[in-house]
Amino acid sequence: MNKTDVLIIGAGPTGLFCAHQLGIIGLSCEIVDNLDKAGGQCIELYPDKPIYDIPAVPECTGEELTNNLLKQIKPFNVKFHLNERVEQLKKNESRWHIKTSGGVEFDVAAIVIAGGVGSFEPRKFPVKECEKFEGSSLLYSIKDKSIFKDKTISIFGGGDSALDWAIELSNTSKVNLIHRRDGFSGAEASVQKVKELNDQGKLNLFIKYQLDSVSGGKNIESVKIKHDEGEIKEIKSDYVLGFFGLIMQLGPILDWGLNIDKKTVQVNTENFETNVNGIFAIGDICSYPGKLKLILSGFHEGALAARGCFKYAKPDEKLRFEFTTTSKAAQERLGIKK
Amino acid sequence: MAKITYHTHDNKTHTVDVQKGLTVMEGAIQNDIPGIDADCGGGMACATCHVYVKEEWLDKLPAKEDGEEDMLDMAFEPKSNSRLSCQITVSDELDGLEVNIPSKQG
Ligand SMILES: Cc1cc2nc3c(=O)[nH]c(=O)nc-3n(C[C@H](O)[C@H](O)[C@H](O)COP(=O)(O)OP(=O)(O)OC[C@H]3O[C@@H](n4cnc5c(N)ncnc54)[C@H](O)[C@@H]3O)c2cc1C
Ligand code: FES
């Protein structure tokens, strides 16, 4: 059990800055994110695109912004729990008990949801029967590539993940690569490599095909793929891999008894608390009259929510308003040596 | 203004006036037409504004920019008449455009 003052759900820019604001006022926090890295949309959707509207930063990329935020919270030694999705919140007298998908548990005084548009999850095949095989012979990510040795694998997708895995697995497995069009979004060198392997018969490339159906007993035995023009082919497959990038899903947040309106959580604008005492929501996931889905608004919301958390974490103390420029306490927390 | 018709998956038809210069995605959001999520707010980074364009309108649309086809690879059940509605800017020429919204966006 991890005991801390505040749990932040989501390591996007808003969650990261809120950790800073909590640190400044002397509260501890830990952060959970479903992704394998911090940065939220900035790192997952546009790491290389420039942002021009961060106050006092004329231009920076999504990745630079993330790195700077991480640098800014470094003094607080915030503990991150990545690749974990928060599933369950339970009130336990005056504290909250939280559980993640991987079984990590927290005991906290308050919760800040900075979940953006939801947690990033792999996009799935539209074909219904796929669910039956998901996690066993139909996968959206690879944890242990040794299971594919000497098997027949059908990989769907046209991005870097699909291409890279097709190339790598073609060394030890029989690989079919299936993509809906003749263009690929992956790196040109990988596209060339895949085409070469296809010419040498080391991989089978199916262009303008999409998954039509899967069949098998306990495990997948074959898949049918359908051409743009309607022709259907059946190919033997032990495994099916789908690489269609990530989509944001609100998921478990919907089940926490919060007032939800169009995929967002309603909050007050005094401290960004939700209808449930002790649960705050900031950033893209919160809504209130006039809400702007901008990073700068998320920063403001995080500053106020952090102060809102104070009374739950330290009910017997009074929070003082101080500037970082002049507050000794804040500077000590930042580890500034004079 | 241009009239845009959205056919939603529940077999309903919504015809609305969309201001020139806005995108077909924005037209749907502003009129509360269900089925277009637009998670990335038009940033061509999510494919949750995916629509099927009625065939006769396909070649009247602005051409796909770099990256739209890549994003469509990620869409739910893409077809040859798939477009990202955030990339279609409404103009006089598009008065009467009809699009179908897929059953799901992900
Ligand atoms: C292409 C593009 C360009 C943009 N350009 C700008 C710009 O120029 N200026 C600007 O101000 N904004 C811009 N934005 C918007 C900006 O990126 C968002 O407003 C910002 O990322 C929101 O931050 P956030 O921390 O609220 O959420 P996010 O960045 O969405 O992060 C939320 C995180 O929470 C995690 N999460 C959610 N639920 C759970 C759960 N249950 N368990 C664990 N983890 C969970 C998610 O995995 C995610 O990592 C742009 C967005 C896009 C897509
Ligand atoms: S709104 Fe995200 S791609 Fe169109």
Side-chain angles (χ1 to χ4, degrees), chain B residues 25 38-49 71 84-87:
Chain B
M25 176 276 276
D39 284 346
C40 78
M44 205 157 68
C46 74
T48 64
C49 63
M71 243 8 263
L84 296 177
S85 59
C86 70
Q87 300 302 310

Side-chain angles (χ1 to χ4, degrees), chain A residues 123 180-181 210 244 262, chain B residues 32 46 69-70 73-74:
Chain A
R123 280 173 210 263
R180 63 174 273 266
R181 60 183 172 111
Q210 294 187 63
F244 307 111
K262 281 196 194 151
Chain B
D32 284 323
C46 74
E69 200 66 71
D70 292 351
D73 284 348
M74 312 286 172

Side-chain angles (χ1 to χ4, degrees), chain A residues 182-201:
Chain A
D182 48 16
F184 290 83
S185 57
E188 192 47 39
S190 316
V191 177
Q192 287 315 320
K193 180 80 190 165
V194 160
K195 288 186 174 156
E196 257 167 51
L197 291 170
N198 181 51
D199 293 341
Q200 297 162 358

Side-chain angles (χ1 to χ4, degrees), chain A residues 202-221:
Chain A
K202 291 182 180 156
L203 173 157
N204 292 311
L205 187 56
F206 297 91
I207 294 292
K208 296 197 178 167
Y209 283 91
Q210 294 187 63
L211 183 66
D212 183 62
S213 63
V214 287
S215 51
K218 197 168 159 282
N219 289 310
I220 291 177
E221 283 152 26

Side-chain angles (χ1 to χ4, degrees), chain B residues 2-91:
Chain B
K3 278 207 184 327
I4 309 286
T5 299
Y6 302 83
H7 300 279
T8 46
H9 188 65
D10 51 7
N11 287 323
K12 289 206 178 96
T13 295
H14 310 251
T15 301
V16 295
D17 287 318
V18 180
Q19 205 184 317
K20 275 190 288 177
L22 292 184
T23 64
V24 172
M25 176 276 276
E26 289 169 300
I29 300 287
Q30 290 185 353
N31 291 286
D32 284 323
I33 294 166
I36 292 187
D37 293 350
D39 284 346
C40 78
M44 205 157 68
C46 74
T48 64
C49 63
H50 169 209
V51 294
Y52 304 117
V53 175
K54 205 164 185 197
E55 298 290 342
E56 64 250 42
W57 286 95
L58 267 182
D59 35 322
K60 299 199 180 86
L61 297 184
K64 288 184 191 132
E65 248 187 73
D66 269 6
E68 180 173 345
E69 200 66 71
D70 292 351
M71 243 8 263
L72 281 169
D73 284 348
M74 312 286 172
F76 188 83
E77 291 190 322
K79 299 182 188 156
S80 55
N81 60 338
S82 287
R83 288 293 305 255
L84 296 177
S85 59
C86 70
Q87 300 302 310
I88 308 175
T89 303
V90 171
S91 61

